[in-house]
Amino acid sequence: MSRRAKLSTRILVSQMVILVVTMCIGFFLYAWVTSNQLDGQYQQRALSIAQTVASMPEVRDALLAEDVSQHSTVQQLAATIQRSTGATFIVVINRSGVRLTHPTPELIGQRVTEPIHVLDGQTYVDVDPGSLGPSADGFAPVFGPHGTVVGEVSAGIKETQVNDALWHELPWIALWTVLALGIGAVAALLLARQLKRTTFGLELHEIARLLQEREAMLHGVREGVITFDPTGYVTLINDEARRLIGLQTDALGKGLDELLPEGRLREVLSGESTGPDQLVLTANHRLVVNRMAVNLAGRRLGAVVTLRDRTEVDELMRELTSSRGLTDALRAQQHEFANRMHTVAGLLELGRTTEAMAFLTETRGAVEGFAETVSARIGHPVVAALIVAKATVAAERAVTLLLSDVSRVSQTLPDPSFSQAIVTILGNLIDNAIDAASLGPHPAHVTVRLVQTEHDLTIRVSDTGTGIPQGASLSIFREGFSTKQSVAGAGRGIGLALVQQVTNRIGGTITVTDGPGPVFTVVLPLQPSDAPQRTDVVRA
């Protein structure tokens, strides 16, 4: 059969070949069993005839008498019974093996060549070639007055009668075989059609090609792919998806409740949280997750989930946003500096030298004063530089950044990763506070407090904005949630989620007060902690 033949045709032909071979084997086995059963039935019939004749007194008397005239009487009796029963022969033999009766008169009085079977007093059946041809024979002993065996009666039915009976049964056997074959053919046809519907009309070579292409595509792309059946069990997951969600065990055939703990990732993957391009933060990645239901020909087949790693892109976007903000602030300062220089030049042209020097001294002191204050209280250069840069950005947006008088941070922190964590947490909290304060009542300001003790570092950021909306305190740390107006490409709803992610990774805690003038407090242990990760929300 051609490899390009239709799947339904190949299935139908294969099933028909199997059915025909099976039915032929079954037919011959049934015929063989029936033949053996008919042989047994005819042997028992012959034995019954032999036992009936052996029980007749005339036969016993003839075997015991020496009068040859009685032998003719037995011959006539045997011929009558033979005709009435349809037996092929009935032969009476005395103990010496001499025939008293036989269908062939010439053999009467002659000795049989084979031994007498019933001398032990038991009946016997067999298929014997015999002088009249193959026959099903039965042998019965004839007992004398004292219970001794005085002779034997054998009756036989020719095998041609057995064969005739078998040929009479075979048409019915053949009829049932053909009927079963027809039912099997209809079942094979229905099975072929069902399989064709199940495979959506695809042929075997097309299915094989699709499988090869799927394996190459799924394990070659740099996006994670997970597919689910209609009941929510995983049917496929590629290597990238395993890496992104941190699966170490075999996921095929399992539900999400067996693979992932409760949380936003499981909600998005299961479809409990709906929407396109949903942002999910894991321990090491920032993922964009899309879940799409799959329906084909009106049938619900499950769902396909794609996962894109946006960690590096988000880092670059945030760095670019910070750079743009700092550039805008520097540009504004440049304009302000030019205005001040014009003012100084005007004073000098007017001959007001003293006033020009006083104006320059005042301007320089205002700029250098804040930097010196930060440097005196914040020993770590990276953290100090961040605060000074954020103060410039805040000033551009008419917001004053204040550093609390009690703020103290040493020059050394546990390790570079801890410093990076502080930059992420503090930078996001200050950015959010500047945004909130710029939209609130004026004068607007943001207050930063950093206190380092022997065991931990406390970061507290507050602003004069309108605060967190009522009821939103439990949602502000969730990926994608934002109280700000959405701006294309701005990546809203990730800042506080990052703060929570980094804080939890270190083993710290977050508290926040809702209402006007919110206060975010982050406590970070300076030593590694195995404490459970948590986020506390305190309502004012």
Side-chain angles (χ1 to χ4, degrees):
M1 188 183 301
S2 172
R3 295 182 62 185
R4 294 288 181 174
K6 289 185 177 181
L7 176 61
S8 56
T9 303
R10 297 179 68 174
I11 293 175
L12 181 60
V13 172
S14 300
Q15 291 283 355
M16 289 303 300
V17 170
I18 294 172
L19 284 172
V20 169
V21 172
T22 304
M23 288 300 174
C24 288
I25 294 174
F27 176 80
F28 287 111
L29 288 176
Y30 189 80
W32 178 73
V33 171
T34 302
S35 177
N36 289 337
Q37 290 177 344
L38 289 173
D39 279 337
Q41 292 174 5
Y42 276 80
Q43 286 173 357
Q44 291 300 319
R45 179 180 169 187
L47 178 60
S48 297
I49 296 172
Q51 289 177 321
T52 300
V53 174
S55 63
M56 293 181 176
E58 295 88 343
V59 175
R60 183 186 58 190
D61 293 343
L63 288 172
L64 293 175
E66 297 180 359
D67 187 359
V68 180
S69 61
Q70 291 190 15
H71 294 179
S72 59
T73 303
V74 174
Q75 171 68 11
Q76 293 175 1
L77 180 62
T80 302
I81 296 174
Q82 180 180 328
R83 287 192 299 270
S84 62
T85 59
T88 303
F89 63 85
I90 297 176
V91 178
V92 179
I93 306 171
N94 62 19
R95 190 177 178 86
S96 301
V98 177
R99 299 185 182 95
L100 275 63
T101 66
H102 197 278
T104 305
E106 291 79 8
L107 295 179
I108 297 175
Q110 296 186 10
R111 189 181 300 276
V112 297
T113 56
E114 66 272 7
I116 298 176
H117 299 90
V118 296
L119 292 178
D120 56 357
Q122 302 296 322
T123 59
Y124 181 74
V125 293
D126 193 12
V127 176
D128 187 30
S131 59
L132 299 177
S135 59
D137 298 345
F139 302 88
V142 180
F143 296 98
H146 304 290
T148 59
V149 177
V150 297
E152 175 189 80
V153 176
S154 63
I157 301 173
K158 293 187 69 173
E159 279 291 305
T160 54
Q161 296 186 37
V162 179
N163 294 335
D164 290 342
L166 177 61
W167 282 107
H168 180 74
E169 294 287 339
L170 286 181
W172 291 102
I173 300 174
L175 177 61
W176 286 110
T177 301
V178 171
L179 181 60
L181 186 61
I183 295 174
V186 173
L189 180 61
L190 295 176
L191 175 62
R193 290 183 176 179
Q194 177 62 31
L195 290 177
K196 187 172 183 178
R197 284 195 298 268
T198 303
T199 58
F200 302 100
L202 295 176
E203 303 300 335
L204 288 178
H205 65 279
E206 294 174 327
I207 296 174
R209 186 174 67 247
L210 284 176
L211 178 62
Q212 294 171 352
E213 293 173 353
R214 188 200 72 168
E215 290 299 313
M217 178 186 68
L218 289 177
H219 297 288
V221 298
R222 295 302 297 170
E223 288 191 1
V225 179
I226 308 175
T227 63
F228 299 91
D229 64 12
T231 60
Y233 289 95
V234 177
T235 56
L236 181 146
I237 181 170
N238 67 349
D239 297 335
E240 184 67 4
R242 291 178 181 275
R243 183 184 73 84
L244 293 178
I245 63 178
L247 279 184
Q248 303 296 329
T249 60
D250 184 16
L252 296 181
K254 297 180 180 179
L256 288 174
D257 54 344
E258 303 177 62
L259 302 173
L260 298 174
E262 291 186 4
R264 176 163 171 77
L265 178 59
R266 195 167 92 178
E267 291 177 2
V268 174
L269 293 181
S270 64
E272 294 179 24
S273 178
T274 59
D277 289 341
Q278 297 195 73
L279 184 64
V280 177
L281 296 184
T282 65
N284 301 307
H285 303 283
R286 302 166 204 169
L287 306 178
V288 176
V289 182
N290 273 293
R291 190 179 195 274
M292 182 178 67
V294 178
N295 297 283
L296 186 60
R299 294 162 54 192
R300 180 170 172 265
L301 302 181
V304 176
V305 175
T306 59
L307 305 99
R308 286 174 287 158
D309 189 1
R310 221 177 70 173
T311 306
E312 295 182 0
V313 175
D314 278 348
E315 292 291 346
L316 292 174
M317 287 184 63
R318 298 188 71 80
E319 290 180 9
L320 179 59
T321 301
S322 298
S323 299
R324 284 179 177 174
L326 186 56
T327 301
D328 292 340
L330 292 175
R331 185 180 296 110
Q333 286 186 346
Q334 179 185 3
H335 288 294
E336 181 66 20
F337 182 77
N339 291 331
R340 292 177 179 178
M341 290 299 99
H342 292 156
T343 303
V344 171
L347 289 173
L348 291 176
E349 288 181 3
L350 294 174
R352 302 293 183 92
T353 307
T354 303
E355 287 83 350
M357 289 296 297
F359 183 78
L360 287 174
T361 302
E362 180 184 355
T363 302
R364 178 184 177 188
V367 174
E368 292 182 352
F370 182 75
E372 290 177 356
T373 300
V374 172
S375 180
R377 297 173 183 170
I378 308 299
H380 198 279
V382 173
V383 180
L386 175 66
I387 295 174
V388 172
K390 294 298 182 182
T392 303
V393 174
E396 171 62 17
R397 301 184 62 179
V399 177
T400 302
L401 180 65
L402 303 175
L403 182 65
S404 172
D405 293 340
V406 299
S407 296
R408 292 292 184 274
V409 176
S410 65
Q411 294 184 357
T412 59
L413 291 174
D415 53 60
S417 64
F418 191 85
S419 302
Q420 184 61 42
I422 295 176
V423 170
T424 299
I425 295 170
L426 184 59
N428 280 287
L429 290 178
I430 292 177
D431 285 342
N432 284 350
I434 292 173
D435 288 342
S438 65
L439 300 175
H442 283 75
H445 63 266
V446 173
T447 303
V448 178
R449 176 182 174 183
L450 293 94
V451 178
Q452 179 179 352
T453 66
E454 182 181 354
H455 302 290
D456 54 45
L457 173 66
T458 302
I459 301 172
R460 180 171 295 170
V461 178
S462 61
D463 62 74
T464 57
T466 57
I468 301 171
Q470 191 69 26
S473 300
L474 299 176
S475 305
I476 59 175
F477 294 102
R478 186 173 183 177
E479 304 97 299
F481 179 88
S482 177
T483 59
K484 307 170 189 175
Q485 184 177 0
S486 179
V487 179
R492 294 295 190 193
I494 193 174
L496 291 179
L498 280 173
V499 171
Q500 183 195 37
Q501 181 191 47
V502 174
T503 302
N504 287 346
R505 189 186 305 163
I506 297 176
T509 60
I510 306 174
T511 59
V512 56
T513 61
D514 56 7
V519 179
F520 287 85
T521 304
V522 179
V523 179
L524 303 177
L526 296 179
Q527 300 296 329
S529 174
D530 296 328
Q533 302 174 356
R534 60 190 180 92
T535 299
D536 298 326
V537 178
V538 180
R539 299 181 183 274

